[in-house]
Amino acid sequence: GGGAFLPGIYTYTYTNAQIAAANSTFNMMRIPINEATANDPASLQKIKGYIDQFAGHYAIICMFGVAQTGKTHGDGFPDGLAAMGTAWANINAVFASYPNVHYEIFNEPFGYPWSTLAEKQHYVSDMETIITDAGMSISNPKIILDGMGYAQKVDEVVEGGWTGDIAYHFYPNWINPENQTPSQSNFSNLVQGALGNYGQRVWVTEFGANLSEPNPCYDTYDGGTSAADQNINALRGLDDALRALRANGHGVKGAFAWHGWDNGDTYDFWLSSNSNGACKIKEIETHD
């Protein structure tokens, strides 16, 4: 969960062959990066090698902030606007000719308040500064801005003036069982309400849940309020919402299980003990 926020140059240990093998299941990947890694030419070439394994070279590169003292997920602010602009300039120098490599400018900007219009505009203005500092146009169709908060506040970034693509994140704890029943319908309504008429501009760049619950493909609805029910109903609700959005002409551009890679925890798509939830992930990504 906190690995992408570690400082320094990332150690990408996957081989091109492993990425190519994953391409038999997925047709697009989301790759984390930070400023130090973006400033390292060898790392950018390794990422390029990964992306070259995908037909059509489909990918999202997402910039993460660095963890602050006592905070494993950063502080929700970019690590310097100018520095981040330089990092994106380096990325774009490698991938400008790849039309299907998209740029998620900053992951989960939860440090920015969103109570007033001015606060929402401040966030959008900071992101646009990064984009222009990188030598790119804010109308570049490759660019994606996260929704505000933990990327769950889509309306707020639109109200702040952003007219391009938007990233949305979704997790079971978006509903607190102490305040609302974590039912499939409540999760579905939450997603549909968040995305509204913006679905065609939205990438669900993160979604996840515990995939190890004893419920084959999470196909059986459970109306309880346990942690297991919350995980199952979250994915069932997301699936329901993405189907509904697609049916009414507001289908999202794609959805990314986070994290997908093989590290042995309950969010791990590849772990055999997580096959029930992994089956539901396949359904979600087929229906999105």
Side-chain angles (χ1 to χ4, degrees):
F5 300 90
L6 294 174
I9 298 172
Y10 289 165
T11 302
Y12 298 110
T13 59
Y14 302 108
T15 65
N16 285 347
Q18 286 174 306
I19 302 296
N23 194 8
S24 66
T25 305
F26 301 104
N27 62 4
M28 192 169 184
M29 66 191 302
R30 179 177 184 251
I31 305 173
I33 201 166
N34 61 11
E35 290 175 5
T37 308
N39 295 336
D40 178 57
S43 294
L44 293 178
Q45 288 304 307
K46 180 170 279 192
I47 291 171
K48 182 177 180 294
Y50 292 164
I51 292 172
D52 285 343
Q53 306 310 307
F54 278 76
H57 303 151
Y58 285 95
I60 291 175
I61 299 174
C62 179
M63 184 70 68
F64 280 71
V66 173
Q68 308 296 317
T69 302
K71 299 178 181 179
T72 59
H73 286 69
D75 60 3
F77 290 105
D79 301 321
L81 300 185
M84 198 158 280
T86 298
W88 275 113
N90 292 333
I91 297 167
N92 191 50
V94 176
F95 296 105
S97 63
Y98 284 57
N100 297 323
V101 174
H102 296 260
Y103 304 154
E104 190 174 348
I105 297 298
F106 182 63
N107 179 73
E108 295 190 347
F110 58 87
Y112 290 89
W114 57 82
S115 298
T116 68
L117 178 59
E119 290 171 340
K120 299 168 190 177
Q121 291 172 334
H122 177 212
Y123 164 62
V124 172
S125 176
D126 275 6
M127 297 300 105
E128 291 179 344
T129 295
I130 293 170
I131 294 163
T132 56
D133 281 355
M136 297 186 290
S137 167
I138 60 174
S139 61
N140 187 329
K142 291 157 61 79
I143 291 172
I144 304 168
L145 290 196
D146 273 29
M148 298 194 74
Y150 289 90
Q152 83 275 38
K153 300 286 187 179
V154 172
D155 276 340
E156 283 70 11
V157 70
V158 174
E159 291 166 7
W162 180 246
T163 58
D165 283 2
I166 307 164
Y168 175 70
H169 293 179
F170 174 82
Y171 290 102
N173 59 314
W174 276 199
I175 287 181
N176 183 345
E178 294 181 0
N179 302 324
Q180 187 180 18
T181 302
S183 64
Q184 173 184 325
S185 60
N186 283 340
F187 278 114
S188 179
N189 291 337
L190 175 70
V191 174
Q192 292 185 65
L195 303 189
N197 294 324
Y198 308 124
Q200 293 168 310
R201 297 168 55 186
V202 171
W203 301 84
V204 183
T205 58
E206 286 188 23
F207 76 90
N210 184 327
L211 306 179
S212 67
E213 307 296 355
N215 185 321
C217 212
Y218 289 10
D219 277 344
T220 302
Y221 173 69
D222 193 326
T225 59
S226 70
D229 302 328
Q230 188 168 359
N231 285 291
I232 293 165
N233 292 338
L235 293 185
R236 289 177 57 86
L238 178 63
D239 191 21
D240 182 76
L242 296 185
R243 291 189 202 208
L245 289 166
R246 183 175 178 175
N248 68 22
H250 298 289
V252 301
K253 290 190 167 185
F256 296 77
W258 187 261
H259 50 270
W261 291 108
D262 189 7
N263 63 351
D265 68 7
T266 59
Y267 277 55
D268 179 348
F269 177 88
W270 306 103
L271 194 64
S272 60
S273 57
N274 294 341
S275 61
N276 289 334
C279 175
K280 178 56 70 177
I281 283 179
K282 284 187 177 182
E283 291 185 351
I284 290 168
E285 296 191 344
T286 301
H287 298 148
D288 67 15

